[in-house]
Amino acid sequence: MEKERYIFRAEDDTDFMPIIPMNEQDGDQDNDLVIPNDLPILPLRNTVLFPGVVLPITVGRDKSIKAVSDVYKADKLIGVIAQKDASIEEPDPKDLCRIGTVAKIVKLIKMPDGGTTIIIQGKKRFEWLEMTSDDPYFKASIQLFTEADAPDTDDFKAYVSTIKDLASQIIHLSPNLPTEASIILKNIENPAFLINFVSSNLNSDLQEKQSLLEINDINDRAIRLVHILQRELQFAELKDKVTNKTRTELDKQQKDYFLQQQLKSIKEELGGESNDREIAEMKKKAESKKWPDTSKNAFKTGIQKLERMHVSTPDYSVVYNHLDLMLDLPWDEYTADNYDLKNAQKILDIDHYGMAKIKSRILEYLAVLKLKGDMKSPILCFLGPPGIGKTSLGKSIAHAIGRKYARLSFGGLHDESEIRGHRKTYIGAMPGRILQNIRKVKSSNPVMILDEIDKIGSDHRGDPSSALLEVLDPEQNHTFYDNYLELEYDLSKVLFIATANNLQNIQPALRDRLEIIDLSGYAVEEKMEIAKRHLIPKQKEAHGLGKINFKINDKVLEKVVEHYTRESGVRELDRQLASIMRYQAKEMATKNKVKLQLTAPDIEKILGHPRYSNEIYKTANMPGVVVGLAWTYVGGDILFIETSLSEGKGVELKLTGNLGNVMKESATTALSYIQANAKKLGIDPELFKTKNIHVHVPEGAVPKDGPSAGITMLTSLTSAFTGRKVKPFLAMTGEITLRGQVLPVGGIKEKVLAAKRAGLKEIVLCYLNQKDVDEIDKGFIKGMHFQYVKTMQQVIDYALV
């Protein structure tokens, strides 16, 4: 009904102007109206005229113009009939409905364009009997219908009231219908006119309106109209629901658009559109950028794409962030290396005590760079126990050679995208950590620490250690491909330094790409020197004691190292020194003074009773008990091996202490050797038939494995069978064979330093391990004796009293 409310239409068009109710009492005057039996006929398309209703019509067909002109000059009465098919331009009588309405032409208006507009009012319903003429226009003989009075019943009154309510609701739900229409409805008192008025304004097709016109009984017409209005109301409610939902969405879009336009205007007032300025700044940066042609072309393509986009589109930020990364990366920007080898040596010595092998390797690298000017960086891996300064050494190396420093922690990393980056189309996508760090340090040749490379995990999201194969291969990393950047980046000038505690946990292919440099634990002397140079000044400063001059002498410091720590590194020592500093800070805060020279009793008062003691190695001197040396990923350690004989059938060798298969096999090998050489060792062969053997390695909760306890097992079993004690303060390590040979083992420096920390004086080793002992600083093993052996007989002869 929307168009019906606003538009004049030709009588042969589809819609028409709003219905204009005249005086509803005109129906009473129509009884005196003289209507001839022969009437001119005006065919209408898609329009049904009801009695009492006023309708404006624009007449377009020549026949129709002639008819209305003649009628308007005479009695102004004309028969209005609807066409069955609106598409017929020149209808025949068979194309017209049988029942129509006699209309009175109220007004005829000649339009400037030559058209004619008439305002007609319906008077009475009729049925045409036959067409008497079709030239110059239709004329037909008609028969009028007699309209019965409206029944005075409650049912009819209820129908009339329902019609008013339904029509009012439809008007309320239709935003394009004027609210005055509901006021007009309420003021209509004539039921017949009300029914005709509402019927004429229905948003229904011509057939439905025509069927209403053809119903003679006004009560039946009211019932039929109620059914149609109920259907129209349901449709109006649904339409209103959809419209409101759409309007809400449109209102938000319009609001956003309006705010965007306001923002745009404000930005223009402030000096141009922001994204235009951003793009201009990007182009300016790109002009001074040194980068490969492929990167330059990729940037140009991206910037052209960005210029075609609106800021509010989702892809704008994706493209912008990608271009921003390209601009931030230091493509061909390198820091100048400091080739002063003496200065580099000095810096390394100041920052870290000891570590001669690593310092020598870095100086060799610098020397080659100085002579050649360019070389692919080596991929170093510092392997050693925790707390010895592997990570901090990387920072010191960067300082020594004048490069930027970056650190990546790989502990617990299990997503391959952390290395290679995510595809930039994903929400929250970022480049990989390697490019992120290079972007942060603004240099393409930093020292990059890959910390805890042996702690990398893997799951369904990929294997990061496999992604590192490309990064850490000097033959490949000059074309490293990051998924976010989508371009190749040269990493060949980056000095990668990995750190690890356990080499076995590193993937073999990755391990093959690393230049392994073993870092052993610190000796007591080294720890004391590190404490004096670095740890004590650091802790004094951290606890607000920097300006207070109190001392911890060497003897006291040695007591802290030997009796309160047992580690390869210095982290626990650092914590113990922090405890001492907290005590001193408390003394200063409460008494306003501190003791200037700390003594051994002071240390026991602060730290408690000593946690570790060497007395255990004196009291444990009994047959069958031997001290062995072990290597763990946290450094060297000492362990006891105990053998006990009991009466039995002599067939059982019981092994306890959470031992691995290799260690169990060492015990079996040792026993087989003793059985084969019993007489030579002074053992009665009959004992093997009557004694059960139990070998135990204390600290049963700790898993133990490896071949290095072979000679210790052999010595323990021989001591138990012969009843001869082992020399006090003696330890040993070495693998054995059934032929009686002693083979070399690894981790010698860690094991020797562990023995030194434990207060042991003598160590039995394979003669092939002498080269490992020679690498240890003589000052660290002062007072220790090393017995090098080739056979197991030599071990027995030396170890047993």
Side-chain angles (χ1 to χ4, degrees):
M1 294 173 69
E2 298 162 5
K3 292 182 181 177
E4 293 173 11
R5 298 289 161 187
Y6 293 106
I7 306 171
F8 270 94
R9 308 295 277 179
E11 99 279 6
D12 52 353
D13 284 345
T14 54
D15 294 314
F16 54 90
M17 196 43 197
I19 310 305
I20 306 171
M22 301 293 281
N23 185 357
E24 58 185 288
Q25 301 303 324
D26 284 352
D28 298 335
Q29 301 171 10
D30 291 344
N31 293 329
D32 302 329
L33 188 68
V34 178
I35 299 174
N37 292 329
D38 201 24
L39 268 182
I41 300 298
L42 177 64
L44 296 182
R45 284 198 267 191
N46 291 331
T47 303
V48 176
L49 179 66
F50 285 83
V53 176
V54 176
L55 184 67
I57 296 289
T58 298
V59 183
R61 290 186 281 214
D62 293 340
K63 281 187 176 183
S64 299
I65 293 172
K66 176 68 174 170
V68 298
S69 298
D70 291 352
V71 167
Y72 191 68
K73 293 174 184 175
D75 57 6
K76 300 182 179 178
L77 296 176
I78 192 168
V80 176
I81 299 176
Q83 285 183 208
K84 294 176 182 178
D85 186 355
S87 63
I88 298 174
E89 192 65 35
E90 296 293 338
D92 291 329
K94 67 177 185 300
D95 299 320
L96 303 179
C97 295
R98 299 293 299 183
I99 295 174
T101 304
V102 176
K104 182 176 182 180
I105 300 176
V106 178
K107 187 73 175 176
L108 185 146
I109 305 167
K110 295 288 186 181
M111 305 302 290
D113 59 358
T116 301
T117 297
I118 58 173
I119 298 175
I120 55 177
Q121 181 181 19
K123 294 297 183 180
K124 287 183 179 291
R125 295 183 309 119
F126 72 88
E127 180 181 5
W128 64 272
L129 303 176
E130 65 173 327
M131 287 293 173
T132 56
S133 172
D134 60 358
D135 188 43
Y137 43 80
F138 288 118
K139 276 190 179 182
S141 60
I142 65 168
Q143 180 180 345
L144 296 174
F145 289 105
T146 303
E147 302 291 344
D149 293 334
D152 189 17
T153 64
D154 291 339
D155 285 351
F156 183 75
K157 290 177 182 177
Y159 284 132
V160 171
S161 178
T162 302
I163 289 169
K164 283 188 178 183
D165 291 343
L166 291 172
S168 296
Q169 290 180 57
I170 292 171
I171 292 168
H172 177 72
L173 290 173
S174 303
N176 293 325
L177 295 179
T179 54
E180 291 82 358
S182 60
I183 298 172
I184 293 172
L185 280 175
K186 289 177 183 176
N187 290 314
I188 295 175
E189 296 178 359
N190 187 328
F193 179 72
L194 173 70
I195 293 168
N196 289 337
F197 176 68
V198 174
S199 299
S200 182
N201 282 280
L202 284 176
N203 190 22
S204 304
D205 57 23
L206 182 138
Q207 285 76 15
E208 200 158 41
K209 288 185 179 181
Q210 183 66 27
S211 67
L212 280 170
L213 183 68
E214 292 175 359
I215 297 173
N216 287 323
D217 185 69
I218 192 169
N219 191 65
D220 294 342
R221 199 185 307 162
I223 294 170
R224 174 67 178 151
L225 182 58
V226 167
H227 290 158
I228 295 172
L229 286 175
Q230 285 174 336
R231 188 192 67 207
E232 291 292 319
L233 178 61
Q234 289 176 354
F235 178 76
E237 287 173 342
L238 180 62
K239 186 177 178 182
D240 182 65
K241 180 181 176 182
V242 173
T243 303
N244 284 338
K245 183 179 178 182
T246 308
R247 183 184 295 118
T248 304
E249 294 172 357
L250 285 174
D251 286 349
K252 185 179 183 304
Q253 291 177 5
Q254 289 168 350
K255 179 184 176 184
D256 291 348
Y257 177 75
F258 178 69
L259 291 174
Q260 288 284 357
Q261 291 301 109
Q262 281 191 320
L263 188 62
K264 184 177 178 181
S265 300
I266 292 168
K267 286 175 180 175
E268 286 174 354
E269 288 295 321
L270 291 173
E273 182 67 39
S274 66
N275 64 315
D276 291 340
R277 291 201 307 273
E278 287 171 350
I279 292 171
E281 287 170 7
M282 279 185 161
K283 287 181 177 179
K284 189 174 180 182
K285 277 187 187 177
E287 288 173 4
S288 59
K289 197 81 178 167
K290 295 187 297 181
W291 49 11
D293 290 338
T294 53
S295 306
K296 189 182 293 184
N297 294 334
F299 180 82
K300 285 181 181 177
T301 304
I303 210 79
Q304 288 168 2
K305 188 186 294 184
L306 198 67
E307 287 174 327
R308 295 194 298 268
M309 288 183 177
H310 192 270
V311 187
S312 60
T313 57
D315 281 348
Y316 184 88
S317 60
V318 174
V319 177
Y320 180 86
N321 290 336
H322 182 247
L323 296 175
D324 191 45
L325 171 68
M326 291 179 66
L327 287 173
D328 280 352
L329 284 173
W331 290 90
D332 284 323
E333 298 172 26
Y334 304 100
T335 54
D337 289 335
N338 181 1
Y339 296 130
D340 187 344
L341 270 63
K342 289 183 180 179
N343 181 60
Q345 177 79 57
K346 183 180 176 182
I347 291 171
L348 291 171
D349 287 340
I350 290 172
D351 291 346
H352 287 81
Y353 182 78
M355 298 186 175
K357 189 186 291 187
I358 289 182
K359 292 176 181 177
S360 174
R361 181 67 183 86
I362 297 302
L363 292 174
E364 288 169 3
Y365 169 65
L366 271 180
V368 175
L369 271 180
K370 183 177 182 179
L371 295 174
K372 187 173 181 289
D374 179 38
M375 72 171 288
K376 290 181 178 177
S377 295
I379 314 295
L380 305 179
C381 178
F382 297 163
L383 179 68
I388 62 172
K390 298 185 297 297
T391 305
S392 60
L393 183 61
K395 194 168 188 178
S396 179
I397 290 169
H399 181 208
I401 63 178
R403 289 193 183 184
K404 299 289 183 67
Y405 169 78
R407 175 181 169 271
L408 281 75
S409 178
F410 284 160
L413 190 74
H414 49 71
D415 189 350
E416 175 257 348
S417 298
E418 294 285 340
I419 308 295
R420 291 186 186 276
H422 306 77
R423 301 284 178 194
K424 69 173 184 284
T425 50
Y426 294 130
I427 295 173
M430 292 187 300
R433 289 195 187 185
I434 290 172
L435 282 193
Q436 284 184 47
N437 276 274
I438 287 177
R439 179 186 195 177
K440 184 167 65 177
V441 300
K442 300 289 185 187
S443 170
S444 286
N445 64 337
V447 174
M448 191 170 289
I449 302 297
L450 309 179
D451 214 7
E452 310 290 1
I453 200 170
D454 57 329
K455 311 293 192 305
I456 293 178
S458 63
D459 60 10
H460 63 281
R461 284 170 286 191
D463 182 6
S465 60
S466 297
L468 278 175
L469 295 178
E470 181 188 5
V471 177
L472 300 181
D473 190 340
E475 299 301 321
Q476 298 180 39
N477 64 9
H478 64 285
T479 56
F480 172 68
Y481 185 86
D482 185 276
N483 291 330
Y484 184 87
L485 182 62
E486 294 182 341
L487 291 167
E488 293 178 347
Y489 195 88
D490 184 5
L491 299 178
S492 63
K493 303 294 190 298
V494 178
L495 177 55
F496 288 105
I497 299 177
T499 71
N501 300 130
N502 190 353
L503 200 60
Q504 305 306 315
N505 294 340
I506 302 176
Q507 188 192 104
L510 182 58
R511 190 165 65 230
D512 185 58
R513 285 162 166 77
L514 302 173
E515 182 180 334
I516 308 294
I517 299 179
D518 284 305
L519 291 176
S520 305
Y522 294 119
V524 173
E525 291 81 4
E526 287 180 301
K527 289 184 179 181
M528 290 173 59
E529 200 63 38
I530 291 168
K532 286 190 286 186
R533 292 188 185 189
H534 303 287
L535 302 183
I536 291 175
K538 182 187 80 172
Q539 291 297 347
K540 284 179 74 173
E541 194 66 36
H543 291 83
L545 301 170
K547 297 180 180 179
I548 299 171
N549 189 23
F550 67 90
K551 294 181 179 179
I552 303 175
N553 62 38
D554 289 356
K555 190 175 180 181
V556 173
L557 195 55
E558 186 177 358
K559 180 180 177 67
V560 175
V561 172
E562 289 190 335
H563 295 285
Y564 292 92
T565 68
R566 186 139 302 175
E567 58 174 348
S568 295
V570 291
R571 285 205 179 111
E572 185 62 28
L573 175 59
D574 195 33
R575 284 190 281 268
Q576 298 303 330
L577 291 173
S579 297
I580 294 171
M581 298 305 163
R582 287 195 298 272
Y583 177 84
Q584 291 288 73
K586 186 182 74 171
E587 290 292 299
M588 189 68 192
T590 55
K591 300 177 182 178
N592 205 26
K593 64 177 182 178
V594 295
K595 196 170 183 180
L596 298 179
Q597 185 73 43
L598 291 175
T599 62
D602 294 330
I603 296 300
E604 288 199 19
K605 181 182 177 183
I606 297 168
L607 301 180
H609 292 296
R611 299 182 185 180
Y612 306 101
S613 173
N614 296 332
E615 296 300 314
I616 187 173
Y617 308 113
K618 297 176 184 177
T619 59
N621 192 18
M622 57 182 289
V625 179
V626 188
V627 178
L629 299 174
W631 179 91
T632 69
Y633 80 96
V634 294
D637 201 0
I638 59 104
L639 52 82
F640 286 99
I641 293 182
E642 305 169 349
T643 301
S644 173
L645 303 180
S646 59
E647 296 295 330
K649 296 180 181 180
V651 294
E652 185 180 4
L653 172 61
K654 186 184 291 183
L655 300 169
T656 56
N658 202 354
L659 308 183
N661 290 331
V662 178
M663 207 164 180
K664 289 177 181 178
E665 290 167 0
S666 295
T668 307
T669 303
L671 181 59
S672 297
Y673 175 80
I674 293 170
Q675 288 173 332
N677 299 274
K679 291 182 179 180
K680 190 188 296 186
L681 297 171
I683 301 170
D684 182 2
E686 293 298 318
L687 286 175
F688 298 115
K689 299 178 181 178
T690 59
K691 298 290 184 181
N692 286 340
I693 307 163
H694 185 176
V695 178
H696 177 67
V697 185
E699 294 191 63
V702 180
K704 309 166 192 73
D705 204 2
S708 63
I711 64 171
T712 319
M713 294 273 194
L714 169 74
T715 308
S716 177
L717 286 165
T718 307
S719 173
F721 275 107
T722 60
R724 294 162 64 188
K725 294 181 180 179
V726 179
K727 286 182 181 180
F729 298 101
L730 173 74
M732 58 185 68
T733 182
E735 185 178 353
I736 58 173
T737 70
L738 278 174
R739 294 178 290 116
Q741 302 296 310
V742 178
L743 302 180
V745 291
I748 293 300
K749 183 178 180 182
E750 286 81 1
K751 291 175 180 179
V752 169
L753 294 178
K756 174 72 172 174
R757 287 195 298 270
L760 299 171
K761 306 295 184 185
E762 296 181 90
I763 299 178
V764 179
L765 296 167
C766 173
Y767 74 100
L768 294 174
N769 283 126
Q770 185 172 353
K771 65 182 187 305
D772 301 308
V773 176
D774 292 341
E775 291 181 1
I776 304 172
D777 192 316
K778 295 295 183 288
F780 302 158
I781 54 177
K782 188 178 180 181
M784 296 188 75
H785 173 69
F786 296 91
Q787 182 66 29
Y788 300 107
V789 296
K790 293 184 179 181
T791 65
M792 291 195 281
Q793 186 63 49
Q794 291 175 323
V795 176
I796 300 300
D797 293 341
Y798 184 81
L800 299 183
V801 177

